Amino acid sequence: MKPTKEQEMIIQAAGKYDKLKVIARAGTGKSSTIRMMMEEYVEPSIYLVYNKALKDEAETWVPSHVSVKTMHGLAYRVAGPELRHKLNPKNNPPYIKINRLRSTKELAKQFSLPTFYGDDGADLSGLGVASYLKEAMKRWEMSIDRDITTKHLPLKRIINDSAKHGWDKDEIIKVLEHTLKEWWKLRINPTHQSAIAHETLVKLWHLSDPEVEWGRIYIDEAQDIFPIVLDVIKKQEDKKIVIVGDDKQSIYMFTGAVNSLDYFPYHTLPLTQSFRYGQDIADLAVCAFPEKVELKGSPTIKSKIGEVDTSKPYAHLFRTNAALVNEGVR
């Protein structure tokens, strides 16, 4: 495949600059551009992808000098051997109920979480406190912080709920911060029965201040990187890094991912030549964005804007997940 002028500039820049950012629009050949760079620069490299499905697909086409990893895969190399038995553990023997600290009921029992009485008769039970606790653990494990503090608690929710029902918010916060620290100690203790999540391994990997062993790092779909991974990557100052993404396709924010493209002050180049549609559709797509977005349609594809014949196979595009779900329900 012959590279476009934009792709040629990106390939050359990957050799000139140690840190490179590519803002690539939909259908512009992100993966093929990354592959061209990999083939041009033959050195030990890592291709960091979002999930296992992308990893399996990428392993079918990356050159032999490139390793494909997910963030969980990298984390597993550090913390996995010692704690892997705590991922999805089962009760053994099955007739003995073991408290794995997975449910609100198990957490409330383990830590003897108290009940907070409300002025309106709506009390916060130990199960309710455990609900806050579970959210706090998720926040801590996905954060870039090195110590647990009250900032990892769902403070806005706690303050609003307390004001509504007359709970002692200061005491709730005190109990939660203390319990979160105790739960974390048990969670990372290899000999304790409590279960862990994959995010636990990622957090431990982050806390270990890891140095990526490969000399060149490629990151695809950079608009959906978790802050904790972003923090690790930014510290690889002696590595050559290429990040590729589209800030208009950030779809995993509900999981805690962020559009990280703005966090990397790297030399930046665009990838705007689409291979999926013609200029008419490209022009319409540009009109859909409130700010100016450059996008060029393929000169070899004739697209048209008009009425859709729904008696034939067709695609329905939605700008939000909510709109898609609403249409499905309707």
PDB file of all heavy atoms in Angstrom, residues 4-15:
ATOM      1  N   THR A   4      -0.090   7.893   1.777  1.00  0.00           N
ATOM      2  CA  THR A   4      -0.503   9.217   1.332  1.00  0.00           C
ATOM      3  C   THR A   4       0.575  10.227   1.757  1.00  0.00           C
ATOM      4  O   THR A   4       1.512   9.887   2.503  1.00  0.00           O
ATOM      5  CB  THR A   4      -1.841   9.615   1.963  1.00  0.00           C
ATOM      6  OG1 THR A   4      -1.672   9.718   3.388  1.00  0.00           O
ATOM      7  CG2 THR A   4      -2.917   8.583   1.665  1.00  0.00           C
ATOM      8  N   LYS A   5       0.428  11.456   1.308  1.00  0.00           N
ATOM      9  CA  LYS A   5       1.394  12.487   1.675  1.00  0.00           C
ATOM     10  C   LYS A   5       1.404  12.687   3.192  1.00  0.00           C
ATOM     11  O   LYS A   5       2.473  12.869   3.805  1.00  0.00           O
ATOM     12  CB  LYS A   5       1.048  13.797   0.970  1.00  0.00           C
ATOM     13  CG  LYS A   5       2.059  14.919   1.218  1.00  0.00           C
ATOM     14  CD  LYS A   5       1.760  16.145   0.378  1.00  0.00           C
ATOM     15  CE  LYS A   5       1.980  15.854  -1.101  1.00  0.00           C
ATOM     16  NZ  LYS A   5       1.850  17.107  -1.924  1.00  0.00           N
ATOM     17  N   GLU A   6       0.211  12.647   3.800  1.00  0.00           N
ATOM     18  CA  GLU A   6       0.136  12.795   5.260  1.00  0.00           C
ATOM     19  C   GLU A   6       0.859  11.647   5.955  1.00  0.00           C
ATOM     20  O   GLU A   6       1.591  11.848   6.925  1.00  0.00           O
ATOM     21  CB  GLU A   6      -1.323  12.825   5.713  1.00  0.00           C
ATOM     22  CG  GLU A   6      -2.038  14.129   5.449  1.00  0.00           C
ATOM     23  CD  GLU A   6      -3.466  14.120   5.961  1.00  0.00           C
ATOM     24  OE1 GLU A   6      -4.077  13.031   5.983  1.00  0.00           O
ATOM     25  OE2 GLU A   6      -3.971  15.190   6.343  1.00  0.00           O
ATOM     26  N   GLN A   7       0.647  10.428   5.470  1.00  0.00           N
ATOM     27  CA  GLN A   7       1.289   9.266   6.075  1.00  0.00           C
ATOM     28  C   GLN A   7       2.807   9.321   5.922  1.00  0.00           C
ATOM     29  O   GLN A   7       3.547   8.957   6.840  1.00  0.00           O
ATOM     30  CB  GLN A   7       0.725   7.984   5.467  1.00  0.00           C
ATOM     31  CG  GLN A   7      -0.711   7.690   5.899  1.00  0.00           C
ATOM     32  CD  GLN A   7      -1.309   6.510   5.177  1.00  0.00           C
ATOM     33  OE1 GLN A   7      -1.056   6.288   3.987  1.00  0.00           O
ATOM     34  NE2 GLN A   7      -2.143   5.742   5.875  1.00  0.00           N
ATOM     35  N   GLU A   8       3.283   9.779   4.779  1.00  0.00           N
ATOM     36  CA  GLU A   8       4.727   9.917   4.560  1.00  0.00           C
ATOM     37  C   GLU A   8       5.332  10.893   5.563  1.00  0.00           C
ATOM     38  O   GLU A   8       6.412  10.641   6.124  1.00  0.00           O
ATOM     39  CB  GLU A   8       4.993  10.396   3.136  1.00  0.00           C
ATOM     40  CG  GLU A   8       4.765   9.337   2.064  1.00  0.00           C
ATOM     41  CD  GLU A   8       5.040   9.870   0.669  1.00  0.00           C
ATOM     42  OE1 GLU A   8       5.226  11.102   0.525  1.00  0.00           O
ATOM     43  OE2 GLU A   8       5.073   9.063  -0.278  1.00  0.00           O
ATOM     44  N   MET A   9       4.636  12.007   5.814  1.00  0.00           N
ATOM     45  CA  MET A   9       5.132  13.000   6.770  1.00  0.00           C
ATOM     46  C   MET A   9       5.190  12.414   8.175  1.00  0.00           C
ATOM     47  O   MET A   9       6.136  12.668   8.937  1.00  0.00           O
ATOM     48  CB  MET A   9       4.230  14.229   6.749  1.00  0.00           C
ATOM     49  CG  MET A   9       4.296  15.039   5.470  1.00  0.00           C
ATOM     50  SD  MET A   9       3.164  16.457   5.483  1.00  0.00           S
ATOM     51  CE  MET A   9       3.860  17.429   6.826  1.00  0.00           C
ATOM     52  N   ILE A  10       4.191  11.606   8.518  1.00  0.00           N
ATOM     53  CA  ILE A  10       4.155  10.991   9.850  1.00  0.00           C
ATOM     54  C   ILE A  10       5.280   9.978  10.005  1.00  0.00           C
ATOM     55  O   ILE A  10       5.962   9.937  11.044  1.00  0.00           O
ATOM     56  CB  ILE A  10       2.786  10.325  10.083  1.00  0.00           C
ATOM     57  CG1 ILE A  10       1.696  11.411  10.229  1.00  0.00           C
ATOM     58  CG2 ILE A  10       2.814   9.438  11.323  1.00  0.00           C
ATOM     59  CD1 ILE A  10       0.285  10.875  10.193  1.00  0.00           C
ATOM     60  N   ILE A  11       5.503   9.164   8.990  1.00  0.00           N
ATOM     61  CA  ILE A  11       6.569   8.155   9.039  1.00  0.00           C
ATOM     62  C   ILE A  11       7.929   8.826   9.206  1.00  0.00           C
ATOM     63  O   ILE A  11       8.764   8.398  10.009  1.00  0.00           O
ATOM     64  CB  ILE A  11       6.545   7.279   7.769  1.00  0.00           C
ATOM     65  CG1 ILE A  11       5.246   6.462   7.727  1.00  0.00           C
ATOM     66  CG2 ILE A  11       7.758   6.349   7.722  1.00  0.00           C
ATOM     67  CD1 ILE A  11       4.981   5.791   6.402  1.00  0.00           C
ATOM     68  N   GLN A  12       8.168   9.885   8.458  1.00  0.00           N
ATOM     69  CA  GLN A  12       9.429  10.614   8.569  1.00  0.00           C
ATOM     70  C   GLN A  12       9.581  11.258   9.941  1.00  0.00           C
ATOM     71  O   GLN A  12      10.660  11.242  10.552  1.00  0.00           O
ATOM     72  CB  GLN A  12       9.508  11.672   7.473  1.00  0.00           C
ATOM     73  CG  GLN A  12       9.612  11.099   6.063  1.00  0.00           C
ATOM     74  CD  GLN A  12       9.489  12.167   4.987  1.00  0.00           C
ATOM     75  OE1 GLN A  12       9.458  13.365   5.282  1.00  0.00           O
ATOM     76  NE2 GLN A  12       9.414  11.740   3.736  1.00  0.00           N
ATOM     77  N   ALA A  13       8.474  11.822  10.465  1.00  0.00           N
ATOM     78  CA  ALA A  13       8.520  12.483  11.770  1.00  0.00           C
ATOM     79  C   ALA A  13       8.814  11.500  12.891  1.00  0.00           C
ATOM     80  O   ALA A  13       9.448  11.852  13.895  1.00  0.00           O
ATOM     81  CB  ALA A  13       7.201  13.196  12.030  1.00  0.00           C
ATOM     82  N   ALA A  14       8.371  10.251  12.732  1.00  0.00           N
ATOM     83  CA  ALA A  14       8.612   9.234  13.764  1.00  0.00           C
ATOM     84  C   ALA A  14      10.094   8.933  13.908  1.00  0.00           C
ATOM     85  O   ALA A  14      10.534   8.450  14.959  1.00  0.00           O
ATOM     86  CB  ALA A  14       7.851   7.957  13.423  1.00  0.00           C
ATOM     87  N   GLY A  15      10.871   9.207  12.877  1.00  0.00           N
ATOM     88  CA  GLY A  15      12.313   9.036  12.960  1.00  0.00           C
ATOM     89  C   GLY A  15      13.021  10.290  13.432  1.00  0.00           C
ATOM     90  O   GLY A  15      14.097  10.234  14.025  1.00  0.00           O
TER      91      GLY A  15
END
